[in-house]
Amino acid sequence: YNGLEKGFLDRGVDLVARKDDQLNFIQCKYIHRTISKSKIEWIPNGMKSERYKLMSPMSNRENNPKKILYLGAFGLVNSCAVIIDGAAILDQEMPGKFEFHFYGDGPEKNNMKEKLSLLGIQNVKIHDLVPKNQIQEVMLNADAFIHAINDYGVYRYGLSLNKFNDYFNSYRPIIQIGHCNYDHVTLAHAGITRYPLSARTVADAVKELFNFSIEERIEMGKNGKKYYSENFEISKLAEKLQSVLSSIVS
């Protein structure tokens, strides 16, 4: 792949990138070259948003406890343990106020369950993986979604998380814990991003989000949906790719 990439650059051919900040990534790889940003086209993962027909903006009626959902893999890179530790802090500081629900599977699932048992955490529930054709019924119960970014170098040049398809189409605000250089949650005004990655950051970010009015949180959810439609909708990505390929062969 590196040989093809270098060959294309030598010939002045446009490159299609999946990472948001691929220009800096390529410039770091080929430090002796000057590469124009116009030669890099970002085409991310995407999905047809029609798969989320059941989703709609939240009701403006407040309810307790607030349900915060995590959807996806349970692996070390996903930092679910940090989210659980943050939930434990909230369980002590604001008992009964928040519930965390994890839906998924992965190598850390048993460790997560053991942590709940050892620490006696009452506000976290771990559920099995839900089939994609049933996930909307689960998403409708959420007041917000959460994920955490472990500081592995892979995120230095942007994120391309599969769970973004669900989160941005949910019409719910998003809590992102951890740092990356290209932050879709902040760009979309779809929630809040806070770092460093720690249990205290998780607890404080949850409190901060729910200090916003319900109207403001509804607006965050709408912003996320709009941002997804403009940047990740498959039909628009296909048009973008077709345009790049046409420019190459013309």
Side-chain angles (χ1 to χ4, degrees):
Y1 177 81
N2 287 342
L4 283 173
E5 189 177 80
K6 185 175 184 299
F8 287 146
L9 288 170
D10 288 340
R11 291 165 178 79
V13 176
D14 289 3
L15 292 178
V16 175
R18 286 180 62 246
K19 291 291 186 184
D20 322 289
D21 200 15
Q22 197 82 359
L23 174 63
N24 285 336
F25 173 66
I26 291 171
Q27 285 180 331
C28 285
K29 287 175 69 177
Y30 304 108
I31 196 167
H32 62 286
R33 304 176 62 104
T34 299
I35 300 167
S36 169
K37 188 173 182 179
S38 65
K39 304 307 295 180
I40 309 297
E41 193 67 52
W42 170 53
I43 300 182
N45 292 334
M47 189 177 288
K48 293 182 178 180
S49 58
E50 65 188 33
R51 292 182 57 173
Y52 299 92
K53 290 180 179 178
L54 295 182
M55 301 310 300
S56 60
M58 295 185 295
S59 163
N60 61 2
R61 184 179 62 187
E62 293 281 15
N63 60 286
N64 283 304
K66 307 298 184 189
K67 294 182 178 179
I68 302 161
L69 270 59
Y70 172 94
L71 308 178
F74 301 156
L76 286 174
V77 71
N78 308 109
S79 300
C80 294
V82 178
I83 299 174
I84 290 174
D85 288 339
I89 293 173
L90 290 169
D91 202 23
Q92 294 295 316
E93 295 180 350
M94 304 180 74
K97 179 72 172 178
F98 303 105
E99 275 186 5
F100 290 75
H101 293 264
F102 291 79
Y103 290 86
D105 204 354
E108 289 298 300
K109 190 169 189 175
N110 288 337
N111 290 337
M112 292 162 63
K113 289 183 175 181
E114 287 177 11
K115 180 185 280 285
L116 297 185
S117 178
L118 284 172
L119 299 180
I121 301 172
Q122 300 297 311
N123 63 341
V124 176
K125 308 295 180 185
I126 298 175
H127 308 269
D128 290 334
L129 184 69
V130 177
K132 278 294 184 184
N133 62 0
Q134 299 173 24
I135 196 65
Q136 289 182 83
E137 285 85 351
V138 169
M139 292 167 62
L140 285 168
N141 294 319
D143 294 293
F145 287 86
I146 191 168
H147 72 273
I149 304 166
N150 215 320
D151 190 19
Y152 296 112
V154 66
Y155 297 135
R156 179 180 176 188
Y157 300 104
L159 288 172
S160 186
L161 302 179
N162 290 330
K163 61 174 57 64
F164 275 175
N165 294 317
D166 295 329
Y167 286 14
F168 277 90
N169 279 292
S170 70
Y171 284 104
R172 270 61 174 174
I174 301 166
I175 302 167
Q176 178 169 279
I177 306 298
H179 180 262
C180 69
N181 285 348
Y182 202 94
D183 177 0
H184 293 291
V185 174
T186 298
L187 288 170
H189 303 289
I192 60 174
T193 297
R194 297 293 179 265
Y195 49 86
L197 177 64
S198 71
R200 184 73 259 174
T201 302
V202 171
D204 289 346
V206 170
K207 291 179 183 178
E208 180 182 351
L209 179 71
F210 286 97
N211 277 335
F212 286 98
S213 69
I214 182 64
E215 289 78 17
E216 289 171 310
R217 284 180 272 129
I218 289 171
E219 194 63 27
M220 290 177 187
K222 291 178 179 178
N223 289 342
K225 177 68 173 179
K226 181 175 183 289
Y227 184 81
Y228 188 93
S229 298
E230 292 174 350
N231 294 282
F232 297 95
E233 179 65 41
I234 282 290
S235 60
K236 293 186 178 179
L237 298 181
E239 290 174 2
K240 197 173 185 180
L241 179 59
Q242 183 180 30
S243 174
V244 173
L245 295 176
S246 295
S247 70
I248 291 172
V249 299
S250 61

